[in-house]
Amino acid sequence: SEESYGKSLMSDNILGNRFAGYRTGAWHGLGTVFQEALTPREALEIADADIEITKQQMVYQYDDAAFLSPRYALVRGPVDDETEPVYLGSASEEYVVVQNSDVADILAPIAGEWPVETVGVIRNGATFFMTLDVGRYEVAGEENRQFVLVHTSHDGTSALKVEKVSMRVVCENTLVMASRNASESFSLKHVGDVKAQAEWHVEVMASLRSSLKDMQAEQERMAETEATDEITAGIITAAYPTPALPAPAEETTKLVNSDQVSNELASKLIAQQKRREHVYQVELKRAQALQLSAGQLFVNDYAATPIAGTAWGVVNAVTEVSNWREGPHADRSVMFGVRRDEGQRAYAKALQYANA
C-alpha cells in the first residue's frame, strides 16, 4: 500500500507542507486534500508549490582575487521560517530553469481529460512532481490505476520527465518506486528552448494516449496466458539471467605453461582467471537466489489472487522481488538501473509468450 511504501523505506522528504492530493491524503498526513477537480495552476497554488528557482553565476577565489566560474548555482528563495536563499545544485551556462509553474502550464491542455491527482515539492525544493489521473481498468478482475507522472529537478542532476506509471506519487519514496517501474518514459534535458517545445509535448501526450490502451490489452493477454513451468522459468530467467561461464581455465593454463609468456605475465593471467571465476560464482549465486525468490513468491503468495497461474502473475512476482529486496544502494536504483531493467525484461518475455 501507499502507506507501507512510505513508512517502510524512507521519509516523505516533503518540503514543509507542500503537497496536495485529490480527495485522498497521503500516508505522511502533510499538505492539503482538495475535493474539486483543479487546473494544474490551481493545484500548484493550493500546494504552495510555486517556488521560483534562479540561476546565479558562481564565483571562486584565488589568492586575494575573485573570478567568475563557468558554473552556475541553482538557488531557491527562502520559504516558511527560512531567512536565506537555499543552494540546490549547479549547472552549466546552457542549463535552462524549468519552473514548477512551467510544468503546470505544460500539463494544462490535457488536465481537462486527465485531472490533477497529486502535486508536491521534495528534497528541500530540488524536485517537483505532479501526477494526472488517467483512469482505472481491470485485468483478471483486479483493478489497476494509471497516472501520467511529470517531475523535474532543480539541482542540475536530471531532466524533465514525463512517465506512465501505476502508482500514486505522494512523496520521495513513491516517486522513486513509480519512476523505477514506469512502463514508458520521455525525457527533455534542461537545455535549449525547453518551455516552447510544444511539438514534443503533443507527440508525448499522443503517444501516451495510444500506449495506455495498448498496455491494458497487453496485460489482459498476459493474464489469459497460462504460466506453464516452461513459461514461468522463461520469464523469471529473462529477468534474472544466469551469467555466462568464464573462459575455461585450461586455456589460461596452456598459455601460462607455454614459452611465450614471462613469469610476470603468467602471474597476472592466473590472477585474472581467478577473478573471473570468483565473479562468476558471485553472480551465479545472486541470479539463482533471485530466481528462487520470484518462483516461490509466484507459487505461494499469488496462489489466491485472480492472476494466479498466469504469465501476468509471474511478471508481478518479479516486480515485487526487484522492488523490495534489500542490498547495497537498494534505494538508489532509481529512474534507471538494474531493478528497472529486470522488470522490463520480465514484461517483454511474458508479452512474447502471450503473443505467440
Side-chain angles (χ1 to χ4, degrees), residues 6 9-14 27 171-173:
L9 289 186
M10 63 177 80
S11 67
D12 55 88
N13 223 351
I14 298 290
W27 65 267
C171 61
E172 182 177 25
N173 179 38

Side-chain angles (χ1 to χ4, degrees), residues 16-181:
N17 211 36
R18 288 168 177 78
F19 169 80
Y22 183 40
R23 294 184 178 173
T24 305
W27 65 267
H28 46 65
L30 299 173
T32 304
V33 177
F34 54 96
Q35 301 297 332
E36 303 295 331
L38 300 178
T39 67
R41 276 278 189 166
E42 290 170 339
L44 189 75
E45 181 178 352
I46 203 170
D48 194 20
D50 191 6
I51 301 171
E52 184 177 4
I53 309 298
T54 60
K55 187 175 78 169
Q56 309 285 344
Q57 190 164 13
M58 300 173 74
V59 176
Y60 64 94
Q61 186 171 348
Y62 184 78
D63 289 336
D64 295 329
F67 301 89
L68 290 175
S69 166
R71 300 289 293 176
Y72 287 72
L74 299 171
V75 179
R76 69 162 174 81
V79 299
D80 302 332
D81 296 330
E82 296 172 345
T83 58
E84 298 179 354
V86 175
Y87 170 83
L88 299 175
S90 66
S92 66
E93 183 178 3
E94 292 76 24
Y95 183 93
V96 175
V97 175
V98 179
Q99 303 290 355
N100 298 347
S101 57
D102 294 327
V103 174
D105 291 341
I106 288 173
L107 293 175
I110 60 167
E113 178 182 1
W114 298 336
V116 175
E117 179 68 21
T118 62
V119 56
V121 180
I122 57 175
R123 298 180 54 238
N124 203 28
T127 299
F128 170 75
F129 67 84
M130 184 175 285
T131 61
L132 306 182
D133 183 8
V134 176
R136 305 166 188 258
Y137 63 92
E138 285 193 0
V139 175
E142 286 197 334
E143 185 178 80
N144 293 266
R145 295 189 70 181
Q146 288 295 314
F147 304 93
V148 170
L149 164 64
V150 182
H151 55 106
T152 189
S153 76
H154 298 309
D155 58 3
T157 60
S158 62
L160 169 69
K161 287 182 176 289
V162 179
E163 298 179 307
K164 182 176 62 179
V165 302
S166 56
M167 178 179 287
R168 186 176 190 257
V169 175
V170 300
C171 61
E172 182 177 25
N173 179 38
T174 48
L175 175 62
V176 169
M177 298 288 286
S179 187
R180 176 191 298 164
N181 293 295

Side-chain angles (χ1 to χ4, degrees), residues 159 206 335:
M335 322 306 181

Side-chain angles (χ1 to χ4, degrees), residues 143-346:
E143 185 178 80
N144 293 266
R145 295 189 70 181
Q146 288 295 314
F147 304 93
V148 170
L149 164 64
V150 182
H151 55 106
T152 189
S153 76
H154 298 309
D155 58 3
T157 60
S158 62
L160 169 69
K161 287 182 176 289
V162 179
E163 298 179 307
K164 182 176 62 179
V165 302
S166 56
M167 178 179 287
R168 186 176 190 257
V169 175
V170 300
C171 61
E172 182 177 25
N173 179 38
T174 48
L175 175 62
V176 169
M177 298 288 286
S179 187
R180 176 191 298 164
N181 293 295
S183 54
E184 195 159 357
S185 180
F186 302 86
S187 298
L188 189 63
K189 294 181 179 179
H190 290 251
V191 293
D193 196 357
V194 180
K195 292 173 284 188
Q197 294 196 34
E199 290 184 3
W200 175 85
H201 163 256
V202 171
E203 177 185 343
V204 167
M205 295 310 163
S207 176
L208 282 171
R209 283 190 183 92
S210 174
S211 64
L212 285 164
K213 294 178 181 178
D214 291 343
M215 186 178 67
Q216 180 179 352
E218 290 171 358
Q219 293 177 0
E220 288 172 348
R221 290 200 299 275
M222 286 186 273
E224 294 168 356
T225 301
E226 180 185 0
T228 63
D229 290 345
E230 178 185 355
I231 287 177
T232 301
I235 296 171
I236 291 175
T237 54
Y240 312 117
T242 301
L245 286 166
E250 291 80 6
E251 295 182 9
T252 301
T253 302
K254 183 178 179 181
L255 187 60
V256 166
N257 291 335
S258 70
D259 296 333
Q260 304 171 358
V261 176
S262 66
N263 290 337
E264 182 180 358
L265 180 55
S267 297
K268 289 182 179 179
L269 290 172
I270 292 171
Q272 289 173 356
Q273 180 66 29
K274 289 181 178 179
R275 280 197 298 271
R276 284 194 294 267
E277 291 175 351
H278 173 72
V279 169
Y280 169 75
Q281 290 298 328
V282 170
E283 292 181 348
L284 178 62
K285 289 180 181 179
R286 174 186 176 278
Q288 290 174 337
L290 292 171
Q291 291 168 4
L292 181 62
S293 295
Q296 290 178 336
L297 186 67
F298 172 63
V299 171
N300 298 327
D301 291 32
Y302 282 79
T305 69
I307 56 177
T310 69
W312 181 231
V314 183
V315 172
N316 278 265
V318 166
T319 301
E320 189 169 340
V321 169
S322 293
N323 282 344
W324 294 106
R325 72 176 187 267
E326 298 179 350
H329 312 300
D331 61 341
R332 291 174 58 196
S333 287
V334 194
M335 322 306 181
F336 320 101
V338 294
R339 294 171 188 245
R340 179 170 178 172
D341 293 343
E342 290 163 356
Q344 290 178 340
R345 289 196 299 267

